[in-house]
Structure formats: C-alpha cells, structure tokens
Amino acid sequence: MVKRTRAEEAGRPEDERLGIGKSFTYGIQHVLTMYGGIIAPPLIIGGVAGVSPAEIGLLVASCLFIGGLATILQSYGVPFFGSRLPLVQGTSFAGVATMTAIVADGGLPAVFGAVIASTLLGLLITPVFSRLVKYFPPVVTGTVITVIGLSLMPVAAQWAMGNNTKAADFGSVSNIGLAALTLTIVLVLSKVAVPAISRLSILLSIVAGTVLAAVLDKADFSEVGDGPIFAIPTPFAFGAPTFDIAAIVSMFIVVLVTLTETTADILAVGEIVGTRVGKRRIGDGLRADMASSAIAPIFNGFTQSAFAQNVGLVAITGVRSRFVVTAGGVVLLVLGMLPVLGRVVAAIPYPVLGGAGLVLFGTVAAAGIKTLSKVDYNGNLNLVIVAASVGFGMVPIAAPDFYHHFPTWVGTIFHSGISSAALMAVVLNLVFNHLKPGKAGTDPSVFATATRVIDYSDLKAFSQLENGDKIVDGKIVDADGKPVPVRDADGRPVHYRIGTDPEGH
C-alpha cells in the first residue's frame, strides 16, 4: 500500500502543513526576500512629504504591519476574501510615483484619502474585473511596469546624492562614492554562488553599506531610541484623510494596474503550485487585495499587492504550502509592532539606499521589459502603443514642470509618469487592437511592418517563412492569421499570388 503525503490527504498541494518550526523558518525566508521592497515605498513617500525621521519610521512600521495583515488574509483566507495560495502581500511599487505627486500638493492625508476611495472602487469592480482583463494585455502592463521602474530612477539618484538639497554635502563625492560602494556590494553578492546570499543581495548590501557609513561617520542613529520599542500603529497618525477627485482618479488608474498584476501573480503561483485556479478564486484574491488596501490608510499604510519575487521564491524552493506564507505574514505583523525597527530603517543613510535603489528600481523596469518581450509586434501597431505610452509617461519625469500651467486636476493625474503611461497605453490598445471600424489593409502603417517584412527575391525559396506561417488565398499570413508584407529590393510592396496544393501548403 502506497502511503499518501499530507498534501495528497489535504486534497490540494498548497494546503500541506509542515509544522510550526518549518513554517516559520520558510516564512522568514519570504520576509527577507521582500523586505527591501516593502520598506522602499514609505521611505520614498515620507521623504517627499518632508516628515521627520521618526515619522518615516512610523510609516515603515505601518507598512510592515499592514503587509502582515494583508498576507495572512490572502494566504489563510476567510469567506469571499483571500485566494488561499502562497502569496505574500506588501506595499505596491505601482502607486509610488502617483502618490508622491499627490503628497506634493495635499500631503499624506490626501494620499490616504485617494487610496481609500480608489481601492473601494476597485473592490466594487472585482466581480466583473475578469471581463476587463483583456483590456490590460502584456503590451499595456509591460509598458506600465517599465515606466514604474524608470519613474523611480530620479528618486534613486536623489538618494545617492544625499536626498537633502539644502545640505552642504548634497551631491558630494563622498555621498555618491558611498552609493557606488553599496551598488558594487549588490553586484558582488548577486554573483555569489550561494542562492540564499544572492537572493538577499539588496538587503545585505544595505546592511553592509550602513556599517561602512557608520565607520565613516556618515550615519546618525541618535534618534533610534526616541519613542516606544513596541506599539501598534496609531490609526490616522498623520490626520484624517482628505478626498480630492483628481487624486482619486489618478490612484484608480493605478488600482486597475494593481488588479492586473495581482491576477497575473495568482495565475502564476497557481501554475507553480499545480493547483486549479478559477474565476472565483481570482475574485477572492482580488477582494483581499482591495480590502487590505482600503484598510491600510487607517493604519498609515498604502496600496497592497502580491510580491512577484516571492512567487519566484515558491518556484525556487518548491515549498508550496500557503501556511508557510501565513507564518511569514505573522512575522511581518510582529515587525510592524516594533516601531524601533522602523526608526532603525529610517536612520539608514540615503546614499546607501540610493546605491541599492538603482538595482531595486531597475529590477522593476527590467520586469516590464521582460513582459514586453512576450508581446507580438508583427502586423499590428503594438510598437506604436509601447513607443507613445513610454514617451508620454517619461514627459513628467524628464520635465516635472510640464503641466505647471494646466488646471490642478490635469497636473495631479498626469504629473505621475505611471498614470500618463497607463492612460495612453489603455486608450491606444483600445483604438488599435479592439476598435476596428472597417477592414484593415495589409500594410496599415510603417510601424506595423517594421518588425517583419519578406524580401520578394527570397520568396520562391521560402527561406524567410516562420513556424506557423501558411498560404491563404495565395497570400502569406502568420500564425495569427495576419498578412505578412512582401517587398522588392527597393522596399516597395509586391503584388503576388502563390499557388497551393489542396491542403494549403
């Protein structure tokens, strides 16, 4: 008789229980993997808001606390909320640039109000979001994720210079040198053959860079002891939220992107785990995402989303139990009730964060580029969508005062490169890929054919045909049924007709 594993007895591999010891050991590994990512948003937003180091420490602790609650809700689950999959939740990078634009005008209360309102709207549309996913294909999400990473690069540069433009050493060789050393440590640790070290290269480099800064007398931990060691984050510690329509619209665009990312992460982890993921399970996961995001501002936190790096960790370790991630959520929750830890993080020198941030934010952009590599650019205008959307998204990043003379609501929405890129990508995707009045020509745009054209001189040898190409009515079409242009040596379209056998070969 073959003995069944606990996972088989439970019915689903993600329901396997490994025991308290193993669960917390693997859970801590999940926390360490995402720790650098979860502390970065409050540091960025708090820095732009101009709050004190102690208040930045509070923001960091709050994000850890809410991340723990959101992770427990997502992985353990309650009726109608939680995918019950090994998904780690934390403060989303997707909204950082948008929130920094909002905080510059209305302060943290305006950010919290926009997050509450936009995520409640997101919660309302989760039952029908599966029908909207088709409007957020890789050409849209890849573009937005790329711009998210690119929009954070000025923050990394500002950090590397010292962050405080009024400081005497802002942009000094010593600050930039410290950032460069931290970056070097990241790259060296990433090359180490020990997986545990390479995966934690960001976190370990921040620790090493901070130690180096302390030796050089460039780190000040004098305020770490100011305040309680253990405390639950105070609700609305920065004041009651305020609600601005333009800020809410801007954040709602980010929420749509977040819902798309979380849907992708749920499907990805379901495939890795080897379990069935249906619409109901996706809906439960999205509701947990939005509910935790709506509650987060009460405890001084921001929008929550699944962390893709932890999905990768599930694949690497092969540990599929959702209770391991639940244990990690408990660890995050406890860390969030240690404001002294938040003050330690807030005391890390900005040049150290800048050096690590170049890689951390660059990784986000690289993830977007990876998504864009999966997009089909043959015989369509996807290249135009990416080009125009990235360009439109980079405008407020390259020229922050671009919308200075426009109405306030225009500036609030488009001052964020993410909102600008997302709006452009969604609209152009609708126009070029969904709204098709009339019959499209075989050569609609130079951009549509820029990636693939067949040379007529080689046509008889069929040397340029690709897998999936076929002959339809004497014309070459690709695997998606789209016509492939044929041109002569001078680049002019060639009118041709190819004979076929009865089977169309």
Side-chain angles (χ1 to χ4, degrees):
M1 179 177 180
V2 178
K3 185 177 180 179
R4 302 175 69 196
T5 65
R6 290 185 181 181
E8 290 172 331
E9 291 173 354
R12 302 185 306 187
E14 66 271 26
D15 291 333
E16 181 179 11
R17 295 180 183 270
L18 303 178
I20 294 179
K22 285 186 177 181
S23 293
F24 275 94
T25 299
Y26 289 125
I28 290 172
Q29 187 177 20
H30 272 286
V31 172
L32 292 175
T33 299
M34 54 90 73
Y35 193 80
I38 201 172
I39 66 173
L43 288 173
I44 297 170
I45 298 168
V48 174
V51 299
S52 67
E55 289 174 318
I56 289 180
L58 173 61
L59 287 175
V60 171
S62 298
C63 287
L64 291 170
F65 181 79
I66 289 298
L69 288 177
T71 298
I72 293 170
L73 179 62
Q74 185 70 269
S75 59
Y76 191 82
V78 297
F80 305 108
F81 293 90
S83 63
R84 292 179 172 84
L85 286 167
L87 276 175
V88 176
Q89 298 278 125
T91 304
S92 172
F93 261 114
V96 170
T98 299
M99 286 187 281
T100 55
I102 296 172
V103 79
D105 294 326
L108 286 171
V111 172
F112 294 140
V115 171
I116 291 173
S118 62
T119 52
L120 285 176
L121 289 173
L123 184 62
L124 290 176
I125 68 169
T126 51
V128 296
F129 186 75
S130 59
R131 301 176 185 176
L132 300 176
V133 172
K134 66 179 180 179
Y135 299 115
F136 293 85
V139 69
V140 173
T141 56
T143 298
V144 174
I145 295 170
T146 300
V147 173
I148 288 172
L150 294 176
S151 67
L152 293 173
M153 284 305 169
V155 174
Q158 186 85 352
W159 281 357
M161 297 173 75
N163 196 57
N164 184 0
T165 56
K166 297 179 180 179
D169 64 345
F170 179 75
S172 65
V173 174
S174 60
N175 280 349
I176 296 176
L178 181 57
L181 283 172
T182 305
L183 173 61
T184 301
I185 294 171
V186 174
L187 299 177
V188 170
L189 292 180
S190 299
K191 183 65 175 176
V192 173
V194 181
I197 293 178
S198 60
R199 282 198 298 268
L200 300 178
S201 58
I202 297 289
L203 180 61
L204 294 176
S205 67
I206 291 175
V207 173
T210 302
V211 171
L212 182 60
V215 172
L216 299 174
D217 198 27
K218 294 182 70 65
D220 181 13
F221 292 91
S222 60
E223 297 184 19
V224 170
D226 297 343
I229 295 176
F230 182 87
I232 296 175
T234 304
F236 298 123
F238 295 90
T242 59
F243 300 92
D244 178 78
I245 297 299
I248 292 170
V249 171
S250 184
M251 276 306 301
F252 183 65
I253 295 171
V254 174
V255 164
L256 292 176
V257 175
T258 301
L259 287 170
T260 306
E261 288 181 336
T262 301
T263 300
D265 287 333
I266 291 173
L267 292 171
V269 80
E271 184 175 345
I272 291 169
V273 170
T275 190
R276 184 177 179 276
V277 175
K279 289 185 178 180
R280 179 176 177 180
R281 207 167 190 185
I282 292 174
D284 289 348
L286 295 179
R287 277 189 288 274
D289 208 32
M290 291 296 99
S292 58
S293 295
I295 294 171
I298 298 175
F299 296 98
N300 319 298
F302 308 105
T303 49
Q304 304 293 299
S305 69
F307 270 48
Q309 59 262 50
N310 291 86
V311 174
L313 184 60
V314 172
I316 292 170
T317 63
V319 179
R320 301 177 293 178
S321 172
R322 62 189 175 97
F323 300 111
V324 163
V325 170
T326 301
V330 173
V331 173
L332 283 173
L333 195 65
V334 172
L335 292 176
M337 292 186 286
L338 295 172
V340 64
L341 181 63
R343 294 193 294 272
V344 170
V345 171
I348 296 173
Y350 276 104
V352 172
L353 293 173
L358 283 172
V359 179
L360 184 62
F361 304 155
T363 301
V364 178
I369 294 171
K370 183 178 179 181
T371 300
L372 288 175
S373 69
K374 303 175 184 177
V375 176
D376 176 20
Y377 298 98
N378 293 327
N380 54 48
L381 292 171
N382 283 338
L383 191 65
V384 179
I385 296 174
V386 176
S389 302
V390 170
F392 195 56
M394 290 302 294
V395 165
I397 299 171
D401 296 330
F402 191 84
Y403 297 105
H404 181 70
H405 297 291
F406 285 75
T408 303
W409 66 269
V410 175
T412 302
I413 293 175
F414 292 105
H415 185 66
S416 164
I418 297 170
S419 298
S420 300
L423 275 172
M424 180 65 78
V426 170
V427 170
L428 291 183
N429 179 58
L430 283 172
V431 172
F432 292 149
N433 293 331
H434 292 275
L435 302 179
K436 298 180 179 179
K439 186 176 180 181
T442 59
D443 192 12
S445 165
V446 65
F447 293 101
T449 61
T451 54
R452 185 183 177 204
V453 175
I454 288 182
D455 185 349
Y456 183 71
S457 62
D458 289 337
L459 182 58
K460 292 182 179 180
F462 293 99
S463 60
Q464 298 183 56
L465 297 187
E466 298 179 357
N467 187 31
D469 288 347
K470 55 187 176 182
I471 309 301
V472 177
D473 295 330
K475 302 292 183 180
I476 301 174
V477 298
D478 63 17
D480 296 321
K482 299 174 182 177
V484 179
V486 176
R487 299 181 183 276
D488 62 18
D490 297 322
R492 294 172 298 192
V494 174
H495 298 285
Y496 66 97
R497 184 176 182 82
I498 301 173
T500 61
D501 62 26
E503 294 182 1
H505 296 127

